[in-house]
Amino acid sequence: MLWKDEVGITGSAASYKALDDGVALRVRIHQRLLDMLNLSALDKASRESLRVEIRAPVGQLLAEEKRLLTPVQTDQLIEDVLDELLGLGPLEPLLQDDTVSDILINTHATVYVERRGRLEKTDVHFHDTRHLIRIINKIVSAVGRRVDESQPMVDARLPDGSRVNAIIPPLAVDGPLVSIRKFAAVPIHMARLIELNSISSEMAEVMQAIVKARRNVLISGGTGSGKTTLLNALSAFIDGAERIVTIEDSAELQLQQPHVGRLETRPPNLEDRGEVTQRDLLRNALRMRPDRIIVGEVRAGEAFDMLQAMNTGHDGSMTTVHANTPRDALSRIEQMIGMAGLELSPRSIRQQIASAINVVVQVERLEDGNRKLVSISEIVGMEEEVISMQEIFRFRRQGLGKDGLVKGEYETTGVRPRFMDVLAARGMELPSITFAPARRQF
């Protein structure tokens, strides 16, 4: 923010006034520069050349504002104005901060961030609601989406893949609300997840074998539990020679293979036409000769098409679903198939699920902010009207430590998974001791 060394204690009336004056000055200069600059050439100009070009006009505008700034303050003002011109204004410092994983904007006056699993309030804010809505429009228009009174909710993404959700009045009563889930510039690989104790090395070894053996995987978890992060990490085990098609509402997967086709849904236009859903994209993907299909998240009737793909030669496909337990995940899939408008009996739907999905992985965001893979379960078929499932690994909680961190250990259940025969047939042997009843303390 502008001139932090002059602000004083964050949260006081004086500090807020100083911050507000700085934002107001930056917005006024930004608006006046837009009238002076050649907007058609703005996108082609580099930040460095634009910095040189606007220095003199900024000095002139400061003189008209009767504001006397030091050279350091002037340089900071120019950087903030460049953020307004080329970036996302007050959000730019937070987007560049690698310690920030989530940015939560509660109206123009309040911005929170998540660092290391903990929420904290920042001194960042916008000049007014119009300023915030202008930034929102800048984000959504870049990916061909819109947000207005007729469509006040929108999902979008930033160029780096970070996920953005915005909701504006009249649905947001006090003012616009924006959530930004930042993605690392370099995807988190399995080795890093092991280092963070999000998964044990034995579980990672088994998951690698599952992916390479082309078992179909369903990743289940709550909001912010790390489903997409795990999906990215697992995708690194896919052979680079395979053709992968990804389908998402908002493209955010960061697959590293050379042969990836990325598909993204499209909302309806102003005439309420032209919508392309995940179901439409899934049907089209089947004609694209994919070896594997990865759906970012199933939410409705596309769950049926995903199961059909898994059952018709696209082994090794993966998707995620919002659910609190592996059993809940299967129930949600069953409910989603009902949304497809198909006249299928519950038993028939469950048979489809049992034959399509091989492994259910449960991830969880614990109260200390850490994300963990808490369960790996295998679907083994049907027992009368119920899908039969056996847990292979689990995370056993043992309470909270004095530092507020969740204590626990990973353990095997002692069950030898049936997919071991499939792994062996594909040349992947896992030591039998991997599944012996034993515990791993960390």
Side-chain angles (χ1 to χ4, degrees), residues 17 33 125 150 153 179 273 284 297 308 334 433 441:
K17 184 178 185 303
L33 280 174
H125 72 286
S150 64
M153 296 184 294
S179 304
R273 298 178 180 177
N284 188 80
E297 181 182 342
Q308 292 295 96
E334 184 177 343
I433 195 172
Q441 186 74 38

Side-chain angles (χ1 to χ4, degrees), residues 195-228:
E195 182 183 337
L196 293 171
N197 285 326
S198 294
I199 185 173
S200 72
S201 57
E202 293 87 353
M203 294 165 74
E205 184 181 7
V206 171
M207 289 306 304
Q208 178 177 1
I210 287 171
V211 173
K212 288 189 173 183
R214 300 179 64 89
R215 299 291 82 197
N216 296 321
V217 178
L218 175 66
I219 300 174
S220 167
T223 301
S225 58
K227 298 187 297 297
T228 304

Side-chain angles (χ1 to χ4, degrees), residues 88-150:
L88 300 180
L91 297 179
E92 282 299 319
L94 301 180
L95 293 171
Q96 301 303 321
D97 187 345
D98 292 336
T99 67
V100 173
S101 56
D102 285 88
I103 303 172
L104 308 172
I105 304 170
N106 299 343
T107 75
H108 74 278
T110 309
V111 178
Y112 285 83
V113 298
E114 181 184 294
R115 284 190 174 94
R116 293 173 287 276
R118 305 283 180 156
L119 287 178
E120 57 185 68
K121 188 177 181 180
T122 72
D123 57 9
V124 173
H125 72 286
F126 297 81
H127 178 51
D128 53 23
T129 296
R130 289 179 60 189
H131 183 200
L132 175 53
I133 288 181
R134 181 171 61 78
I135 296 297
I136 294 172
N137 280 320
K138 195 170 186 178
I139 294 171
V140 302
S141 62
V143 291
R145 307 206 172 190
R146 64 185 177 90
V147 60
D148 50 39
E149 286 191 4
S150 64

Side-chain angles (χ1 to χ4, degrees), residues 202-203 205-206 392-393 412-413 420 430-438:
E202 293 87 353
M203 294 165 74
E205 184 181 7
V206 171
I392 303 168
F393 290 96
T412 57
T413 61
M420 288 288 286
L430 291 174
S432 297
I433 195 172
T434 301
F435 306 101

Side-chain angles (χ1 to χ4, degrees), residues 367-394:
E367 54 263 44
D368 60 7
N370 290 316
R371 280 90 171 170
K372 292 191 183 296
L373 194 159
V374 297
S375 174
I376 299 177
S377 302
E378 179 188 27
I379 294 179
V380 294
M382 292 277 294
E383 289 185 4
E384 297 183 352
E385 299 293 322
V386 179
I387 298 174
S388 180
M389 184 164 51
Q390 59 185 18
E391 192 171 41
I392 303 168
F393 290 96
R394 60 181 168 228

Side-chain angles (χ1 to χ4, degrees), residues 1 13 20 47 72 104 112 125 160 163 176 205 228 230 261 313 384 400 406-407 411 414 433:
M1 289 303 297
D20 196 45
R47 189 179 181 99
V72 173
L104 308 172
Y112 285 83
H125 72 286
D160 65 355
R163 182 192 312 163
E205 184 181 7
T228 304
L230 179 60
E384 297 183 352
L400 287 175
V406 174
K407 297 171 59 179
E411 64 179 19
I433 195 172

